[in-house]
Amino acid sequence: MAMHALAQHLAGHQHLLVGFSGGLDSTVLLHQLVTLRAQRGDLHLRAIHIHHGLNPLADGWVEHCQQLCQRWQVELVVVNVTLDSREKGVEAAARDARYQAFSDHLRPAECLLTAQHLDDQCETFLLALKRGSGPAGLAGMPVQSLLGTHTLLRPLLLQTRGQLEAWAVEHALSWIEDDSNQDTRFDRNFLRQKVIPELTSRWPHFAQSVARSATLCGEQEQLLDELLAESLGTLVDAAGGLAWAPLLAMSEVRRAALLRRWIASQGGLMPSKASLQRLWQEVACSREDAEPRLRLGRFDVRRYRDRLYWLALTEPVTDVILRWPSGEASLRLPDGLGHLLRDDAGIKIRAPLPEEIVSVRFQAQGKFHLTDRAGSRALKKIWQEKGIPPWQRDRTPLLFYGETLIAAVGVFVTREGKPDEDVYWQVSWIKQA
């Protein structure tokens, strides 16, 4: 029965990357896939083991996984990761590092398989309940989802740990027992060791009931997604900005649902109810002349004119000064801002004189005359007239000759940078995707 269910989960997928810790769950999954490969012959298997560097025995786990994969003729990739647990804690940091490694190593045609089972789903549900999550959080883990553009399958999600143990014993499998799984200081281990056994002893089918509740929550979220998709589509522009004024006429419940789906569409994590209230009150509804912002994790929510924007945090570049030798056709910019390119498609500016030093900066002081305006204006006023949001103003490359501002690349040219008819440069800003 297990093999039949596994084959159904894999319908349409032949190239598989298996998350392989060497523990019971992933060992059973990999063994079942190897068995299915012997029956079908059209499966292409690889495994990936993540070395978190947290346990002194971890090097031995790598050797165990290598030996097992060699015996089963499965290619194994071992990835060492470094954790930053300052913001989310060790458990969340380890999970983020794992899935980033999975994403980095997936080949174009591959599907990722992980070995979460029914008991894991129960733990995930209870953790979401502890956090006060809504239906999206209580939906737990779906059997099939996406990791970027790749399919992510959890084919063991309807099997209990007891069923996996029975398979392992029947086929004489060996696996790693991670001693840290006994440490009840971690929330998931506390549920696994202390709470769920008590619940199961009272209600033997508790995990199955939780799984049904999670499925129903997932169905409700999917229905809301479908019902709200059209409304959200009319509110969001091509840059991801959300028109907030139409939300004023909506009920608080509908507004919150739309804001959550907008954040999810921008790659953000599901915010708490309190965070959503702050977003609405402190950012959307702040006074008209304000430049409000709210930090949520590694993102900022900003308002500009009639729209809200979800923005990844960036490093400041205001103190950066880059020399651009006249003989070089391109210049790489800092912090993922792309590069400048001298070509035949960018803005036209006068060519520098031999004695003029060309540099790129990200801040300027004073008033400036533009080629398409009469009189001088403060740079802040120029940014406003050109419709440049505040967070882009100190990340737009400013081209200087000596101490004279010549242009904000892609935005304006000053009177001092006005090109001659026959001798000029053209400069493009190639932004990083």
Side-chain angles (χ1 to χ4, degrees):
M1 182 62 183
M3 298 303 298
H4 178 69
L6 182 61
Q8 286 185 319
H9 282 301
L10 296 181
H13 299 287
Q14 296 178 334
H15 297 268
L16 312 175
L17 178 67
V18 183
F20 184 44
S21 69
L24 169 70
D25 315 335
S26 61
T27 300
V28 169
L29 175 59
L30 187 58
H31 181 260
Q32 289 183 351
L33 289 167
V34 168
T35 304
L36 189 62
R37 182 183 62 182
Q39 296 173 2
R40 288 176 41 176
D42 62 344
L43 291 183
H44 302 273
L45 289 179
R46 291 197 308 140
I48 181 169
H49 177 87
I50 310 302
H51 190 318
H52 297 95
L54 296 174
N55 194 301
L57 302 176
D59 289 340
W61 300 344
V62 171
E63 293 179 11
H64 171 86
C65 292
Q66 288 172 332
Q67 291 171 3
L68 206 54
C69 285
Q70 185 176 13
R71 185 191 315 163
W72 290 343
Q73 297 183 328
V74 174
E75 178 186 344
L76 176 67
V77 180
V78 177
V79 181
N80 293 277
V81 297
T82 302
L83 304 185
D84 183 356
S85 60
R86 292 173 295 180
E87 185 175 326
K88 297 182 180 179
V90 174
E91 289 180 283
R95 182 190 183 280
D96 288 350
R98 277 197 304 278
Y99 279 88
Q100 185 60 56
F102 294 157
S103 182
D104 291 343
H105 287 81
L106 277 163
R107 293 173 180 170
E110 280 183 327
C111 167
L112 176 66
L113 275 70
T114 57
Q116 291 94 349
H117 50 73
L118 189 66
D119 299 68
D120 294 324
Q121 182 77 300
C122 185
E123 294 163 11
T124 299
F125 183 95
L126 293 175
L127 287 170
L129 194 65
K130 184 265 296 184
R131 291 192 297 267
S133 300
L138 295 174
M141 299 175 287
V143 173
Q144 179 172 329
S145 59
L146 288 176
L147 181 63
T149 59
H150 295 267
T151 299
L152 167 57
L153 295 177
R154 300 179 176 92
L156 303 183
L157 206 53
L158 298 181
Q159 297 186 44
T160 66
R161 179 178 173 86
Q163 289 173 307
L164 302 186
E165 288 175 342
W167 178 281
V169 170
E170 179 184 351
H171 295 88
L173 303 182
S174 61
W175 63 89
I176 295 164
E177 291 287 358
D178 185 349
D179 58 337
S180 67
N181 288 336
Q182 306 302 315
D183 188 347
T184 56
R185 291 177 300 174
F186 297 113
D187 289 345
R188 189 173 287 274
N189 291 345
F190 174 72
L191 289 173
R192 183 179 301 157
Q193 302 296 333
K194 301 292 186 180
V195 177
I196 293 177
E198 286 291 321
L199 293 170
T200 303
S201 67
R202 176 69 180 241
W203 301 295
H205 300 292
F206 181 79
Q208 287 87 343
S209 298
V210 165
R212 283 197 297 273
S213 293
T215 298
L216 291 172
C217 287
E219 290 175 356
Q220 291 296 311
E221 279 299 291
Q222 183 179 346
L223 177 59
L224 279 175
D225 286 342
E226 293 174 4
L227 293 175
L228 295 175
E230 184 176 351
S231 295
L232 190 62
T234 64
L235 296 173
V236 180
D237 62 17
L242 176 72
W244 63 271
L247 302 182
L248 289 167
M250 298 180 185
S251 69
E252 183 178 353
V253 172
R254 183 179 179 89
R255 181 170 64 235
L258 283 167
L259 286 171
R260 286 193 180 97
R261 279 155 182 80
W262 171 64
I263 291 171
S265 72
Q266 302 302 303
L269 297 176
M270 194 59 60
S272 66
K273 184 175 182 179
S275 294
L276 273 187
Q277 290 174 337
R278 289 189 62 196
L279 187 160
W280 183 248
Q281 295 167 1
E282 298 176 20
V283 182
C285 296
S286 63
R287 69 179 192 276
E288 187 174 349
D289 62 344
E291 294 182 0
R293 64 191 301 177
L294 174 66
R295 179 168 296 184
L296 293 175
R298 297 176 182 173
F299 295 87
D300 270 342
V301 183
R302 305 285 295 266
R303 191 193 72 196
Y304 181 62
R305 296 182 175 173
D306 61 347
R307 294 191 176 271
L308 299 175
Y309 294 89
W310 181 265
L311 306 165
L313 296 180
T314 56
E315 293 295 326
V317 294
T318 49
D319 294 332
V320 172
I321 299 177
L322 302 173
R323 288 281 301 273
W324 192 0
S326 298
E328 296 184 6
S330 66
L331 178 70
R332 181 165 296 280
L333 301 175
D335 198 38
L337 286 172
H339 63 278
L340 300 183
L341 182 66
R342 285 176 51 194
D343 56 12
D344 56 2
I347 60 168
K348 290 184 179 181
I349 55 176
R350 72 172 177 85
L353 301 173
E355 67 274 12
E356 288 180 317
I357 296 175
V358 181
S359 65
V360 172
R361 311 177 190 185
F362 296 90
Q363 62 177 341
Q365 304 294 329
K367 295 184 175 182
F368 303 94
H369 292 263
L370 305 190
T371 56
D372 59 350
R373 292 284 192 278
S376 63
R377 286 171 174 75
L379 186 56
K380 182 177 180 178
K381 291 291 185 182
I382 295 173
W383 291 132
Q384 292 172 346
E385 291 175 4
K386 298 293 184 180
I388 305 301
W391 58 90
Q392 292 180 7
R393 295 171 188 175
D394 58 3
R395 294 178 66 80
T396 298
L398 304 176
L399 196 63
F400 279 77
Y401 293 170
E403 296 301 315
T404 301
L405 178 61
I406 299 299
V409 181
V411 183
F412 63 77
V413 177
T414 67
R415 186 175 60 184
E416 292 79 7
K418 184 177 180 179
D420 298 328
E421 289 188 10
D422 299 321
V423 182
Y424 55 81
W425 277 11
Q426 285 186 260
V427 179
S428 297
W429 180 11
I430 311 301
K431 299 180 183 180
Q432 184 167 303

